[in-house]
Amino acid sequence: MTANPSTPAESALVRAARREPVPHTPVWFMRQAGRSLPEYKRVREGIAMLDSCMRPELVAEITMQPVRRHGVDAAIFFSDIVVPLKAVGIDLDIVAGVGPVVAEPVRTRADLDRIPELTPERVPFITEAVRILVAELGPTPLIGFAGAPFTLASYLVEGGPSKNHEHTKALMHGDPELWNDLCERLAQISGTFLRVQAEAGASVVQLFDSWVGALQREDYTRFVLPHSKAALAAVADLDVPRIHFGVGTGELLTLMGSAGAEVVGVDYRVDLRDAIERLGPQYAVQGNLDPALLFAPWPVLAERIEQIVRAGRSATGHIFNLGHGVLPTTDPEVLTRVVEHVHEVSRRG
Ligand code: CP3
C-alpha cells in the first residue's frame, strides 16, 4: 500500500476494486465529466454531443477537466453508452435535455438484422483518445465504460428515454427469442466497446445498466443476466476490475454481482451497510451518496459522507461515489469539497 502510487495498478481505486488495503477511500463521480463544469460548456460550444465523442483531443480534454479540478481518484472516459450503437450505423442522436433518440425503433427481426457486430476498426477514435489519456493521466486510473444490453435495448426498442419501458417489456415477454437475439448482439457490441478501451489502457471498466431496476429478479435472471455476463466476460482475461451499476437495483445486487463483476455499484436508495451485507465479502462496493444531497447545507452533507465512509469500512473494498450521476446544476465547488472530505475522513481511520 502506498500513498503515492506510480502506476494505476497501485492506485487506491484499483486496489479497492481488488479488495486490497488502501491509504484512503478512493472517490470519483458518475457523470463527473461534462454537465456541471463551466470549462466543459466552453469547449463543447457549437459541437454536437456525438461529434464531440469522436474527437480524441477533445475527449481527452473533457475527461481531464474533473481530474484537474476536483482531484478525484479516477478519470471516467468521456463518451456515451450510445456511441458504439452509432458506430455500427444505427441512426440516433443525443438531444440536449432529453437523451438518446433513435430514428427507427428496433422491434422486429428485420430491424435486428440491420444491426452489425462492432469491430474495433469502427471505433479508432476511442483507441486514440484512451491512449492520449493514459499518457496524460500517469498513475491516475482511467475508467472505461459501456451500456449493458438491457439499457441499450431499452433505448433501441422504445426509440428514446422511457419511464415505463413498455415496448421493451412487451418484446421481452412477447417474443423471447427475438429479445434474446437482440441482447446477444448488444452484448457483443458492449463487450467489444469495453475491450477496446481496456486494450488501449483503461485500468477499470464499468458496465452501466442504468434502467434495469425496472425488472424483478426472476425476469432479470432469465432475460438480462446471461447477456450482461457475456458483456463482462469480454474483458475477463484482461486483469481489469469490472464495476456493474444500475439504478433502483437494491433487489438485484447479488444477481448483478454474479454477472461477473468485482465491484457492485449501489444506488442511493439502499443503505450501504445493507448492500454490503447482501453482497457478502466477495465483492467490493461502489457508492452511494444521493446526488441531490450535494444541494444540502454542508454540515448535513459532511455527516452523510462520514456515514458512507464508515459503512464502507465493513466492506472488503469501497469506492466512494454518488448513487447516480452528478445533476447538471450541481455546484462544482461542492464536488471538490466532497473529494477532500472523503480523503480526510478515511485517512483519519
Ligand atoms: O462523466 C461521465 O460519466 C462520462 C461521460 C458519460 C456520458 N454519458 C456523457 C454525456 C457517461 C458515463 C454516460 C453514460 C450514460 N449515457 C448513461 C449511463 C449513466 C447514467 O446516468 O445512468 C446513460 C443512461 C446515458 C444516456 C444519456 N446520454 C442520457 C440519459 C443523457 C442525458 C440527457 C440530458 O441532456 O439530460 C445523455 C447525454 C450525455 N451523455 C451528456 C453527457 C455529458 C449531456 C449532453 C450534453 O452535454 O450536450
Side-chain angles (χ1 to χ4, degrees):
M1 175 166 69
T2 160
N4 293 306
S6 55
T7 65
E10 294 165 12
S11 66
L13 184 103
V14 171
R15 292 185 62 90
R18 296 210 159 105
R19 295 178 288 137
E20 295 167 1
V22 288
H24 62 265
T25 303
V27 47
W28 69 282
F29 305 111
M30 292 185 277
R31 312 297 294 269
Q32 70 188 16
R35 292 223 140 172
S36 66
L37 299 185
E39 59 267 36
Y40 167 71
K41 289 173 193 147
R42 262 197 308 277
V43 297
R44 270 286 316 282
E45 223 165 279
I47 308 171
M49 174 64 192
L50 283 172
D51 291 341
S52 69
C53 294
M54 292 172 194
R55 292 165 61 161
E57 296 286 349
L58 185 58
V59 167
E61 167 57 24
I62 296 172
T63 303
M64 290 304 296
Q65 286 175 347
V67 179
R68 287 187 209 119
R69 186 193 259 265
H70 305 306
V72 278
D73 290 273
I76 172 99
F77 188 64
F78 180 79
S79 189
D80 194 82
I81 58 168
V82 298
V83 166
L85 301 180
K86 181 82 176 173
V88 296
I90 295 172
D91 185 1
L92 58 83
D93 203 2
I94 293 180
V95 180
V98 176
V101 175
V102 182
E104 291 170 43
V106 175
R107 294 186 188 163
T108 65
R109 174 69 52 184
D111 295 337
L112 167 59
D113 288 345
R114 282 194 289 273
I115 306 176
E117 293 200 338
L118 179 64
T119 55
E121 296 74 54
R122 288 183 188 264
V123 285
F125 51 91
I126 298 287
T127 302
E128 197 185 330
V130 171
R131 288 203 178 124
I132 296 170
L133 275 164
V134 169
E136 204 167 330
L137 281 162
T140 302
L142 176 68
I143 303 171
F145 74 92
F150 174 83
T151 290
L152 294 180
S154 168
Y155 281 112
L156 291 181
V157 176
E158 303 293 335
S162 167
K163 216 169 129 209
N164 300 313
H165 310 280
E166 56 268 49
H167 297 289
T168 312
K169 289 182 181 179
L171 176 65
M172 175 188 278
H173 291 279
D175 191 345
E177 203 178 311
L178 177 57
W179 170 261
N180 187 59
D181 293 350
L182 170 62
C183 287
E184 261 179 26
R185 179 65 42 86
L186 293 172
Q188 188 281 333
I189 291 172
S190 281
T192 302
F193 198 60
L194 292 177
R195 194 167 177 95
V196 164
Q197 294 168 77
E199 283 186 335
S203 299
V204 174
V205 293
Q206 176 157 326
L207 191 67
F208 281 96
D209 211 349
S210 300
W211 313 135
V212 81
L215 299 183
Q216 53 167 261
R217 286 177 65 93
E218 193 186 326
D219 290 341
Y220 182 90
T221 303
R222 179 167 167 214
F223 295 115
V224 176
L225 182 59
H227 307 296
S228 296
K229 234 181 213 173
L232 288 165
V235 292
D237 61 321
L238 293 181
D239 198 26
V240 165
R242 296 161 294 178
I243 307 169
H244 196 184
F245 169 78
V247 180
T249 46
E251 294 291 330
L252 303 177
L253 288 175
T254 52
L255 294 173
M256 291 181 73
S258 75
E262 283 70 34
V263 185
V264 177
V266 181
D267 90 90
Y268 59 86
R269 292 164 187 83
V270 186
D271 184 318
L272 190 61
R273 281 168 305 191
D274 292 341
I276 292 164
E277 207 164 288
R278 284 180 207 177
L279 283 159
Q282 70 268 41
Y283 298 105
V285 294
Q286 174 173 280
N288 72 342
L289 179 69
D290 186 340
L293 275 183
L294 297 170
F295 295 76
W298 175 252
V300 177
L301 177 54
E303 198 187 322
R304 188 54 70 93
I305 291 167
E306 288 154 29
Q307 262 175 25
I308 293 171
V309 169
R310 272 200 304 274
R313 291 211 181 97
S314 65
T316 47
H318 177 217
I319 297 167
F320 192 100
N321 204 316
L322 304 178
H324 196 192
V326 175
L327 298 166
T329 51
T330 305
D331 176 356
E333 287 180 19
V334 176
L335 289 173
T336 308
R337 207 165 169 190
V338 173
V339 174
E340 286 166 359
H341 202 58
V342 170
H343 286 167
E344 194 193 306
V345 172
S346 60
R347 271 194 200 109
R348 247 190 261 146

